[in-house]
Amino acid sequence: MKLVELKCKNCHAKLEINPELNEYTCKYCDASFKVDDEIKHIKLDDMEQKGYEFEMGRIRAQRENQNKQYKKKNIFWLVMAWIFLFPIMITYYIVKSDKIDKTKKIIIITIMWIIFFMMSDK
């Protein structure tokens, strides 16, 4: 508890405070002021339940944070799989296509892989 000497803001007279009141009045100039005792009153009823709810909230927040990190890792691996598997899949479909003749297939696949390697080099 900190001790503070209180003075009236208007006339600077020393004030006497009644600890039971939340308001005081100066005897000299009749100015009234509110008192803040800076004490937080905590009701101790049902503390076990409140502690349980607090702990469950903390655990829920940790799980949500872990789920976000897990999703970020999954997205990273999906992007990596797309980058590295996409050219292989395209190559497979071009090779299996009957609509394109053999020389055009070779040219398309070669150009595609050159572009892919140039992109991955940067």
Side-chain angles (χ1 to χ4, degrees), residues 63-73:
R63 285 183 185 153
E64 288 173 2
N65 191 23
Q66 288 173 348
N67 287 342
K68 286 179 185 176
Q69 290 175 352
Y70 180 73
K71 287 179 182 178
K72 285 180 183 177
K73 288 179 183 177

Side-chain angles (χ1 to χ4, degrees), residues 24-66:
Y24 60 91
T25 304
C26 178
K27 293 180 186 178
Y28 302 101
C29 68
D30 285 331
S32 68
F33 304 95
K34 294 213 181 250
V35 176
D36 182 12
D37 60 3
E38 294 186 11
I39 298 173
K40 294 183 180 181
H41 300 281
I42 300 172
K43 190 175 179 182
L44 297 178
D45 298 340
D46 204 21
M47 282 307 262
E48 183 177 355
Q49 179 65 27
K50 297 298 180 190
Y52 175 79
E53 290 171 4
F54 174 80
E55 186 65 17
M56 291 306 292
R58 189 183 64 78
I59 291 170
R60 189 176 324 112
Q62 284 179 337
R63 285 183 185 153
E64 288 173 2
N65 191 23
Q66 288 173 348

Side-chain angles (χ1 to χ4, degrees), residues 11-111:
C11 67
H12 302 292
K14 189 174 183 178
L15 298 172
E16 293 178 15
I17 305 297
N18 183 353
E20 296 174 3
L21 298 176
N22 288 336
E23 188 173 284
Y24 60 91
T25 304
C26 178
K27 293 180 186 178
Y28 302 101
C29 68
D30 285 331
S32 68
F33 304 95
K34 294 213 181 250
V35 176
D36 182 12
D37 60 3
E38 294 186 11
I39 298 173
K40 294 183 180 181
H41 300 281
I42 300 172
K43 190 175 179 182
L44 297 178
D45 298 340
D46 204 21
M47 282 307 262
E48 183 177 355
Q49 179 65 27
K50 297 298 180 190
Y52 175 79
E53 290 171 4
F54 174 80
E55 186 65 17
M56 291 306 292
R58 189 183 64 78
I59 291 170
R60 189 176 324 112
Q62 284 179 337
R63 285 183 185 153
E64 288 173 2
N65 191 23
Q66 288 173 348
N67 287 342
K68 286 179 185 176
Q69 290 175 352
Y70 180 73
K71 287 179 182 178
K72 285 180 183 177
K73 288 179 183 177
N74 281 348
I75 290 172
F76 172 78
W77 288 113
L78 286 172
V79 169
M80 289 295 120
W82 178 257
I83 289 171
F84 291 107
L85 295 178
F86 181 71
I88 295 170
M89 292 184 317
I90 295 296
T91 303
Y92 174 78
Y93 286 117
I94 292 172
V95 169
K96 292 294 182 177
S97 174
D98 293 334
K99 296 178 181 177
I100 307 171
D101 63 3
K102 190 174 181 179
T103 56
K104 288 183 182 177
K105 287 182 186 180
I106 293 171
I107 293 171
I108 292 171
I109 291 171
T110 305
I111 292 171

